[in-house]
Amino acid sequence: MTGLMRLPKAELHCHIEGAVAPGLLHRLANRNGIRLPTAMFAPDGRYAWTDFSDFLDAYDRASECLRHPTDYRDIMYEYLMACAAEGAVYVEVFSSPDHAAAVGMSYAGHLEGLAAGIDDAFTETGIIGRVIVTCVRHLGPQRAVEIVGSMKAEPHPYVVGFGMGGDEHRFVLADFVPAFRLAHEAGYACTVHAGEVAGPDSVRQAIDLLPVSRIGHGVRAAEDPRLLEDIARRGIVLEVCPGSNLALGLYPDHASHPLPRLIAAGCRVTLNSDDPPFFGTSIGREYAAAAKHFGLSEAALLRITETAVDAAFVDPETRLSLRQQLSGQSVRAH
Ligand code: ADE
Ligand code: ZN
């Protein structure tokens, strides 16, 4: 590893179902006797999708090929190994039991696979992985409550938090207060996607109604200076995914992306890949792009890693050992 690749990184926002590289999906589909429609892929072999709603469909179609706990093991293992190769020391991965249930896999079965991938990658590289169980917003608040029910009934040491992805235009956040309250009362830290495809009001509702310490994306908060002040004052951490935002057309280029304004307003930010093979992202590429396009120094990037470790939903002992790992770093200020 050279230069920036050596800089320690931590990722808090990546969806495991969205992290399956097309090559691995072909292998899993073969193994599971599934014929993948050619329309799933562009001529260059990447996933084909056109806009946010088509992306969510493509993501659902890919996740239908994950049929067994070992499939989840392989995805988690390969993803964490790729992150470790780019210098990541800690990765929190979103996983959606609804996608596992859609192919008949139990909550416990899908976690067993994820945990095996986490253990194998840790043994080989020392990278630490954890899971945030997510509900899918467009499946509605009742399913969200049921998922928290599984988290409470079948606790797993690697499940450290609760979150929500899916279509931000469906339902209102107030509908999900019961699920988030249940998760919070059960001791799970919470994050929610807001201010990605919907505007700053969505972030305002998230921080006012839900017990969240982090917001997935939150970039549209940049359109409301009062909201930015509140986010900064309350120390809420934004899981920013610039490459994903560009791929989905939220902003035409890095020059129009609000990350520098979020930082200037005093918001705590992290860098993340979201759904790497769908968006052409990776944790290493996000750090490199932030250096190139936002002018962030290695010291500033290391502070972003420190923010991610501080905001991670991991247990205190692991956080302490990650902090110690980071404090031994010497980096260039420019
Ligand atoms: N699920 C996977 N990726 C997502 C995204 N970028 N926004 C909302 N839900 C998602
Ligand atoms: Zn996301």
Side-chain angles (χ1 to χ4, degrees):
M1 273 191 270
T2 54
L4 259 192
M5 277 300 152
R6 248 199 320 261
L7 186 96
K9 304 170 185 72
E11 179 167 70
L12 304 180
H13 189 128
C14 173
H15 302 258
I16 198 71
E17 305 82 13
V20 193
L24 176 57
L25 194 78
H26 284 290
R27 288 198 326 267
L28 297 179
N30 274 344
R31 181 160 108 183
N32 294 334
I34 299 165
R35 248 193 87 234
L36 294 173
T38 44
M40 264 182 94
F41 302 98
D44 64 4
R46 295 189 200 193
Y47 290 113
W49 55 274
T50 52
D51 56 15
F52 180 63
S53 135
D54 193 42
F55 154 70
L56 288 177
D57 288 344
Y59 170 99
D60 287 349
R61 276 195 300 276
S63 69
E64 279 164 22
C65 300
L66 320 181
R67 298 287 168 91
H68 305 288
T70 47
D71 299 341
Y72 278 93
R73 189 225 77 104
D74 292 353
I75 297 163
M76 183 62 107
Y77 171 77
E78 293 201 8
Y79 184 61
L80 291 179
M81 293 299 286
C83 289
E86 292 188 331
V89 292
Y90 179 78
V91 172
E92 248 162 46
V93 171
F94 295 133
S95 185
S96 155
D98 280 314
H99 286 83
V103 295
M105 205 186 310
S106 68
Y107 178 78
H110 111 283
L111 279 182
E112 174 199 313
L114 293 172
I118 287 174
D119 287 340
D120 292 348
F122 176 74
T123 303
E124 283 188 42
T125 65
I127 191 169
I128 294 171
R130 293 290 185 267
V131 176
I132 297 177
V133 164
T134 53
C135 63
V136 179
R137 181 166 176 158
H138 49 271
L139 297 183
Q142 183 52 38
R143 265 309 287 157
V145 166
E146 286 163 12
I147 283 181
V148 181
S150 299
M151 295 171 72
K152 290 176 66 177
E154 301 174 73
H156 189 288
Y158 291 167
V159 173
V160 293
F162 175 65
M164 178 164 76
D167 189 345
E168 206 183 337
H169 293 305
R170 301 283 300 283
F171 299 94
V172 290
L173 279 181
D175 295 335
F176 296 93
V177 168
F180 276 85
R181 269 208 194 129
L182 272 180
H184 184 64
E185 281 161 13
Y188 290 106
C190 298
T191 176
V192 66
H193 282 58
E196 181 192 20
V197 294
D201 285 355
S202 174
V203 182
R204 167 59 71 195
Q205 285 180 24
I207 67 169
D208 285 353
L209 298 178
L210 304 179
V212 291
S213 54
R214 302 189 335 220
I215 297 287
H217 298 283
V219 283
R220 304 278 307 275
E223 295 161 33
D224 178 345
R226 282 272 309 276
L227 177 58
L228 275 191
E229 268 173 39
D230 285 352
I231 290 170
R233 187 174 41 78
R234 290 168 59 173
I236 289 165
V237 169
L238 304 178
E239 303 157 5
V240 183
C241 314
S244 158
N245 298 155
L246 266 54
L248 283 170
L250 268 61
Y251 307 100
D253 48 32
H254 278 97
S256 5
H257 194 279
L259 183 74
R261 279 183 285 139
L262 302 175
I263 295 174
C267 297
R268 301 170 73 203
V269 301
T270 64
L271 285 169
N272 307 274
S273 65
D274 207 8
D275 301 282
F278 285 88
F279 301 145
T281 52
S282 76
I283 186 64
R285 270 182 234 153
E286 290 308 305
Y287 273 68
K292 180 172 175 194
H293 298 288
F294 304 132
L296 295 189
S297 64
E298 285 190 20
L301 290 169
L302 185 61
R303 278 198 298 277
I304 286 182
T305 304
E306 286 164 355
T307 299
V309 166
D310 288 347
F313 292 164
V314 76
D315 61 276
E317 293 77 27
T318 311
R319 190 193 318 283
L320 189 61
S321 95
L322 285 164
R323 276 205 190 120
Q324 283 165 349
Q325 217 174 318
L326 298 184
S327 67
Q329 292 297 312
S330 68
V331 293
R332 285 197 301 259
H334 297 289

